[in-house]
Amino acid sequence: MGIAMQIVEISTASIPADLMGAQVEKVNVKIGKLSAVVPESLRFCFQIVSQDTPLCNASLIIEEIPIVIKCLDCNIEWTIDEPIFSCQKCNGGAVDIVSGRELDISSIEIAERDE
Ligand SMILES: [Zn+2]
């Protein structure tokens, strides 16, 4: 719920001043699979917290970022679905998380006003 509120706050704040009162159509977010955010529940929370804001009709477009890790010994990178942090080649545990922890608003799309 806190994350949904942050998305609403940041998106509302990023509406340009001359478009105040415009409706936001889409909010595009990137969520790493390691961020422990469940897309379905985020959408649900977003609908609730966006009521009475310029985002009330906006759809939340979630792009899930896979978990990519890198072995510091072999220097290879690979994508994992489960949080298993050992190298698939040398079985070593000296790995670095390259991506998967993202939680970013990549863009918002504002509806054109008919005038
Ligand atoms: Zn390795």
Side-chain angles (χ1 to χ4, degrees):
M1 191 61 93
I3 293 163
M5 285 177 81
Q6 277 179 26
I7 292 174
V8 169
E9 276 171 22
I10 295 167
S11 306
T12 307
S14 58
I15 299 173
D18 58 338
L19 288 174
M20 274 301 161
Q23 290 287 320
V24 175
E25 243 173 17
K26 277 185 200 165
V27 178
N28 298 300
V29 294
K30 286 184 181 173
I31 293 172
K33 285 189 175 174
L34 265 183
S35 63
V37 173
V38 180
E40 281 315 305
S41 52
L42 181 59
R43 273 197 203 96
F44 178 74
C45 294
F46 177 81
Q47 272 185 6
I48 295 169
V49 297
S50 65
Q51 282 172 19
D52 303 319
T53 76
L55 280 75
C56 59
N57 293 317
S59 30
L60 190 63
I61 311 295
I62 296 172
E63 185 190 344
E64 283 188 273
I65 308 295
I67 306 167
V68 177
I69 59 176
K70 179 181 180 176
C71 177
L72 299 176
D73 292 324
C74 320
N75 230 13
I76 55 167
E77 284 185 14
W78 68 100
T79 303
I80 52 171
D81 290 320
E82 304 286 322
I84 301 165
F85 299 110
S86 59
C87 178
Q88 58 179 13
K89 194 174 160 200
C90 71
N91 221 16
V95 295
D96 218 13
I97 298 164
V98 179
S99 75
R101 283 189 290 219
E102 293 82 355
L103 186 55
D104 298 322
I105 298 172
S106 39
S107 63
I108 63 171
E109 292 171 33
I110 296 169
E112 300 277 334
R113 269 182 297 185
D114 312 312
E115 285 182 72

